[in-house]
Amino acid sequence: MSATVDTHVHDEEHDVHHHKETFVTKYIFSQDHKMIAKQYLVTGTLMGVIGVLMSIMFRIQIAWPEEPNVLFEALLGKWAPDGVMDADVYLALVTIHGTIMVFFVLTAGLSGTFSNLLIPLQIGARDMASGFLNMVSYWLFFLSCIIMISSLFVEAGPAAAGWTIYPPLSALPMASGGSGLGMTLWLVSMAIFIASSLLGSLNYIVTVINLRTKGMSMTRLPLTIWAFFVTAVIGVVSFPVLLSAALLLIMDRSFGTSFFLSDIFIQGEVLHYQGGSPVLFEHLFWFLGHPEVYIVILPAMGLVSEIMASSSRKPIFGYRAMIASILAIAFLSTIVWGHHMFISGMNPFLGSVFTFTTLLIAIPSAVKAFNWITTLWKGNLQMNPAMLFSIGFVSTFITGGLTGIILGDSALDINVHDTYFVIAHFHLVMGISALYGMFAGIYHWYPKMFGRMLNKNLGYLHFWITAVCAYGVFFPMHFIGMAGLPRRYYTNSNFPLFDDLANTNVIITIFAIIGGLAQIIYLYNFFISMFYGKKAVQNPWKSTTLEWTTPVEHIHGNWPGAIPHVYRWSYDYSKPGHDVDFVPQNVPLMEGEEELQH
């Protein structure tokens, strides 16, 4: 690839002529990619606290239904008279929990944080292609967070139709309390979020294509950058489809159209809607919804690949195969959305086509899994918290992925569709795996973000409690799902069939509470280390990529002098003929040294 750009014009004067920054331009309306990354991370973390708190509340409700709880009374107010959770608010909690975790925590915490932090630093650029668009992207994201949170405080309650917001619950404002103003705010928030994602994605794509330093060909890029780049491409392709679905839904709700509504009866009265189809909404939603899970997981895969190579002191195994599998996953992710709709009355032949494409995606996923395991094989493993979370990621990705083979098969899916089996599958393969990838990235690049180290022992404690509790929560869910327990029911006490599963639900809830509380260790570590953590050295992990050649103190433009040139690929670890076990990318090849064939 020859489209690299020498961005060294006026390097020496770059910092001299940069204007003096005020508090507002440095910390609030910053156009520096490093600060914007931190803004995304802190905002995503705070949204995560809200999302986890919601999950603990509805887990308590499932374990001990109809029992008064002081937590409900304190947090839910009128939605929990005498401390007993109202049935309507249960679905609202599930809806907002799903929305926050998928879009505002995982998408922002991974893409928003690490694409911003690492793309300019790892490709050798002064900043993003457009610092202003980058800033606008963050503030649109922040605005969408505020609108989503404000929907919790409207009188009729927040959106309550599941995070997938299927019509008619979402299309008829009078359908239920959670179909009113709360749903409108949900749609407005998502529209703004999509605008933010598109601006960010376009910025990432242009930066990677145009601003690579001299010598940084596409096959010398770290796998992190490949993952961020392809993630941005998927976002540009699929997010506009959800935007169109949200706009059509707003039309149905507020302007009397019938895109998603037909033959609706309310209390025996026929409404005027005709000719629409709720299945059309499902197609539009899942055309984004399935690529979205890869928008969430691909950045985590990139981070894990980088951390594993660095922490096992070995080159990543199968570099080009890893790139090919990222591209294959991206392509296949756009042609599998129908597997969410096997019981929507889909033509069985079409179901078999979606089954085929869905099972195909197991191939590039397996390539990645085997390559990670082979990278670890006989490596000099540095078991720091980032490495533990990376290994945990591979574990949950494999265990969660295996159940996807069942759900991806149209004949087998029918038995477990809309049960806890589905919840177990996607929380392990997408939720927990992506969170582990995010935690791994935070533990690894925290010194680059904040100039200080996180406490290692607290990191170990955080990992082990989280890892045990994550499996404690989601492993038993496979079994209650196979027993037929439906999801989104606020109590199962009316069904004698499920009485035997009550104790399992209590165990799941206890693990969920302990796992949720364990995140306090991480939050303490994260915020305290910013001020009191051990000061970081320039390259604490002895890594080869360019971000570790920048000074510890953040400066505008990243490098004080000229931007380094690149002479080798990103993974020269333990290379024969060198005195140290890592050779940074900006070190020229020695006489007679060959660049590794990867």
Side-chain angles (χ1 to χ4, degrees), residues 354-547:
F354 278 121
T355 298
F356 175 66
T357 56
T358 301
L359 297 183
L360 271 184
I361 217 162
I363 298 169
S365 302
V367 167
K368 296 192 90 59
F370 287 125
N371 282 7
W372 286 319
I373 293 167
T374 316
T375 302
L376 295 175
W377 179 250
K378 294 193 174 176
N380 176 15
L381 305 185
Q382 316 291 308
M383 286 299 186
N384 49 51
M387 181 63 147
L388 288 177
F389 273 111
S390 300
I391 295 170
F393 169 92
V394 177
S395 168
T396 53
F397 185 69
I398 292 171
T399 45
L402 286 172
T403 53
I405 296 170
I406 296 166
L407 293 168
D409 188 308
S410 52
L412 298 176
D413 173 70
I414 291 168
N415 302 295
V416 286
H417 193 91
D418 259 338
T419 69
Y420 273 84
F421 193 87
V422 177
I423 302 225
H425 161 70
F426 79 79
H427 275 85
L428 277 179
V429 80
M430 180 192 88
I432 299 297
S433 296
L435 270 180
Y436 282 0
M438 187 168 103
F439 284 139
I442 291 166
Y443 280 102
H444 191 75
W445 278 284
Y446 192 90
K448 186 73 338 214
M449 278 193 267
F450 297 102
R452 292 180 182 269
M453 306 294 285
L454 284 165
N455 183 307
K456 204 177 192 179
N457 293 329
L458 287 179
Y460 289 141
L461 197 61
H462 175 219
F463 169 75
W464 284 113
I465 300 176
T466 304
V468 171
C469 290
Y471 272 131
V473 169
F474 296 113
F475 209 76
M477 278 191 192
H478 293 95
F479 300 108
I480 61 175
M482 286 191 287
L485 192 68
R487 63 179 181 165
R488 294 187 182 156
Y489 283 22
Y490 83 107
T491 174
N492 304 299
S493 52
N494 293 337
F495 306 100
L497 172 70
F498 300 133
D499 285 349
D500 292 345
L501 306 178
N503 290 339
T504 312
N505 264 324
V506 171
I507 291 167
I508 291 172
T509 297
I510 290 167
F511 273 120
I513 292 169
I514 297 169
L517 292 176
Q519 305 318 306
I520 295 172
I521 301 169
Y522 158 73
L523 291 171
Y524 172 83
N525 198 0
F526 182 85
F527 287 108
I528 294 296
S529 297
M530 277 185 205
F531 306 102
Y532 304 109
K534 189 176 123 196
K535 286 217 163 117
V537 294
Q538 186 177 20
N539 188 354
W541 313 116
K542 298 186 166 43
S543 296
T544 57
T545 41
L546 288 183
E547 76 269 30

Side-chain angles (χ1 to χ4, degrees), residues 96-117:
I96 305 297
H97 162 79
T99 307
I100 284 177
M101 298 308 281
V102 171
F103 294 108
F104 297 97
V105 178
L106 297 178
T107 306
L110 282 159
S111 264
T113 300
F114 291 104
S115 296
N116 267 308
L117 178 71

Side-chain angles (χ1 to χ4, degrees), residues 70-299:
V70 66
L71 183 68
F72 295 166
E73 206 161 4
L75 293 177
L76 298 175
K78 69 170 185 175
W79 300 109
D82 302 323
V84 178
M85 186 185 288
D86 185 74
D88 289 337
V89 83
Y90 176 84
L91 185 57
L93 286 174
V94 171
T95 302
I96 305 297
H97 162 79
T99 307
I100 284 177
M101 298 308 281
V102 171
F103 294 108
F104 297 97
V105 178
L106 297 178
T107 306
L110 282 159
S111 264
T113 300
F114 291 104
S115 296
N116 267 308
L117 178 71
L118 295 178
I119 287 177
L121 288 173
Q122 289 193 337
I123 67 172
R126 290 289 181 202
D127 206 311
M128 283 288 179
S130 168
F132 177 74
L133 270 190
N134 210 10
M135 178 188 77
V136 171
S137 165
Y138 168 73
W139 282 104
L140 285 175
F141 166 70
F142 184 79
L143 179 62
S144 70
C145 288
I146 296 296
I147 294 172
M148 187 61 71
I149 297 304
S150 69
S151 76
L152 299 173
F153 299 98
V154 298
E155 192 176 352
W163 78 278
T164 54
I165 59 159
Y166 285 174
L169 266 184
S170 57
L172 291 171
M174 70 291 273
S176 75
S179 303
L181 179 59
M183 180 61 70
T184 304
L185 289 172
W186 191 101
L187 290 165
V188 170
S189 170
M190 284 313 299
I192 295 170
F193 174 83
I194 292 165
S196 156
S197 289
L198 287 173
L199 288 179
S201 294
L202 291 169
N203 219 350
Y204 306 150
I205 291 168
V206 171
T207 306
V208 171
I209 290 174
N210 283 346
L211 297 186
R212 304 192 307 281
T213 185
K214 190 171 183 182
M216 182 63 87
S217 63
M218 292 299 274
T219 50
R220 282 177 174 169
L221 286 173
L223 288 171
T224 37
I225 303 301
W226 270 105
F228 299 145
F229 176 67
V230 173
T231 299
V233 172
I234 302 175
V236 168
V237 169
S238 57
F239 264 123
V241 180
L242 183 64
L243 182 61
S244 64
L247 293 177
L248 294 178
L249 199 50
I250 290 170
M251 301 287 280
D252 273 12
R253 290 172 57 78
S254 305
F255 302 107
T257 56
S258 303
F259 292 109
F260 306 130
L261 292 167
S262 184
D263 305 326
I264 301 285
F265 294 78
I266 288 191
Q267 294 175 339
E269 184 187 340
V270 186
L271 301 188
H272 67 275
Y273 300 104
Q274 279 186 331
S277 168
V279 177
L280 169 62
F281 179 85
E282 290 188 36
H283 280 291
L284 293 174
F285 182 90
W286 286 115
F287 189 81
L288 159 94
H290 200 81
E292 165 65 22
V293 305
Y294 292 101
I295 289 171
V296 162
I297 205 75
L298 277 177

Side-chain angles (χ1 to χ4, degrees), residues 26 32 34-35 38 117 447-451 551-556:
K26 184 173 183 183
D32 186 332
K34 300 181 290 297
M35 182 55 67
K38 289 193 267 192
L117 178 71
K448 186 73 338 214
M449 278 193 267
F450 297 102
V552 177
E553 301 78 32
H554 286 182
I555 56 167
H556 189 83

Side-chain angles (χ1 to χ4, degrees), residues 56-78:
I56 289 173
M57 283 201 289
F58 59 68
R59 276 310 322 172
I60 291 172
Q61 164 64 22
I62 298 169
W64 300 285
E66 312 296 338
E67 288 186 24
N69 189 296
V70 66
L71 183 68
F72 295 166
E73 206 161 4
L75 293 177
L76 298 175
K78 69 170 185 175

Side-chain angles (χ1 to χ4, degrees), residues 31 41 47 51 58 68 118 208 239 246 289 300-301 315-316 331 358 367 565:
Q31 295 187 27
L41 181 57
M47 292 297 280
F58 59 68
L118 295 178
V208 171
F239 264 123
M301 289 176 165
I316 192 81
F331 170 67
T358 301
V367 167
H565 291 188

